[in-house]
Amino acid sequence: GQQLNQSPQSMFIQEGEDVSMNCTSSSIFNTWLWYKQDPGEGPVLLIALYKAGELTSNGRLTAQFGITRKDSFLNISASIPSDVGIYFCAGQLRSGAGSYQLTFGKGTKLSVIP
Amino acid sequence: NAGVTQTPKFRVLKTGQSMTLLCAQDMNHEYMYWYRQDPGMGLRLIHYSVGEGTTAKGEVPDGYNVSRLKKQNFLLGLESAAPSQTSVYFCASSWGFRRSSYEQYFGPGTRLTVT
């Protein structure tokens, strides 16, 4: 099946620092989604991207849909302790059978040091 | 709106026992999904449904069955539980083709342990 390479796998940062993470694939995606999962909870949708080059913000979070349609980036500015969790990228294939399915990255575990 | 709800939240089974996980959504979504999440493996699709009365296999369907008799409900069944099915199970739903939206919304999960 399709694979998304999400990096970094984990990161430790100081409160107040900015964070960057990304997802790459060899396949072209129609939609990119970013989710956050808190311990013991289900993933929560943060940002959805629909067009190549699109840059979308949600508070301190900003995500971009790569020009090649094969990658996406998520930035968090001025991190705070409640940003702790696992961030997942997910892509929806451009077309073809199963195009409504999402492919998920394995997640970036973020830890914030107060 | 409650969004996506899952029942039960926790369950412990013995090998060979059966059980059904219930997922319900109140957003009138067409598509529903069942995933399992294991450490280091991310989310893997078990089965999905693109409408009432339809189901299809995902990436890891073996050992599971599903049914979607009503649009708002999606059931996941384990006929004979095995230790390899110890996992956290998530249900999700989306508008799908009707609104050209594939944003999936997740339930809180069911933590299943098979001994």
Side-chain angles (χ1 to χ4, degrees):
Chain A
Q2 304 300 325
Q3 285 195 342
L4 288 182
N5 300 310
Q6 188 170 351
S7 65
Q9 282 187 314
S10 64
M11 49 195 319
F12 291 82
I13 61 168
Q14 292 282 345
E15 183 176 355
E17 287 184 346
D18 297 343
V19 175
S20 291
M21 60 189 77
N22 68 82
C23 267
T24 61
S25 174
S26 57
S27 301
I28 293 175
F29 286 95
N30 208 30
T31 303
W32 284 95
L33 306 172
W34 285 92
Y35 289 85
K36 183 193 177 198
Q37 185 177 26
D38 291 327
E41 303 290 332
V44 173
L45 182 64
L46 299 173
I47 294 177
L49 302 160
Y50 297 101
K51 296 180 182 178
E54 180 181 357
L55 190 70
T56 298
S57 294
N58 178 5
R60 293 178 296 105
L61 279 62
T62 302
Q64 185 164 23
F65 193 143
I67 291 293
T68 65
R69 307 182 77 98
K70 295 182 179 180
D71 55 11
S72 180
F73 307 86
L74 176 69
N75 295 317
I76 305 173
S77 63
S79 59
I80 60 178
S82 62
D83 290 334
V84 165
I86 302 177
Y87 291 80
F88 291 97
C89 63
Q92 181 230 336
L93 285 170
R94 189 171 190 180
S95 63
S99 62
Y100 34 77
Q101 296 180 32
L102 294 180
T103 299
F104 284 85
K106 293 188 176 180
T108 293
K109 186 175 182 180
L110 178 64
S111 300
V112 179
I113 305 167
Chain B
N1 287 353
V4 180
T5 57
Q6 292 183 232
T7 309
K9 288 189 70 67
F10 302 94
R11 185 73 186 268
V12 178
L13 287 180
K14 293 185 177 179
T15 298
Q17 287 185 320
S18 63
M19 77 163 294
T20 300
L21 282 66
L22 172 64
C23 176
Q25 53 94 5
D26 61 3
M27 297 175 281
N28 203 32
H29 284 172
E30 289 293 328
Y31 292 7
M32 297 187 74
Y33 314 80
W34 275 107
Y35 292 89
R36 60 178 290 172
Q37 185 177 40
D38 303 294
M41 300 294 292
L43 287 156
R44 293 184 293 170
L45 184 64
I46 304 172
H47 286 281
Y48 61 93
S49 167
V50 300
E52 182 179 317
T54 72
T55 63
K57 294 180 180 179
E59 181 185 354
V60 288
D62 294 343
Y64 305 95
N65 56 75
V66 288
S67 64
R68 187 142 179 229
L69 300 179
K70 293 183 179 181
K71 185 177 182 179
Q72 64 268 34
N73 296 336
F74 196 27
L75 279 63
L76 178 71
L78 286 72
E79 289 188 348
S80 180
S84 61
Q85 294 178 304
T86 293
S87 187
V88 182
Y89 292 86
F90 289 102
C91 176
S93 69
S94 69
W95 283 111
F97 181 76
R98 178 177 289 188
R99 287 207 185 176
S100 297
S101 170
Y102 304 95
E103 297 170 17
Q104 293 184 18
Y105 295 88
F106 284 80
T110 294
R111 187 173 297 274
L112 175 67
T113 302
V114 183
T115 61

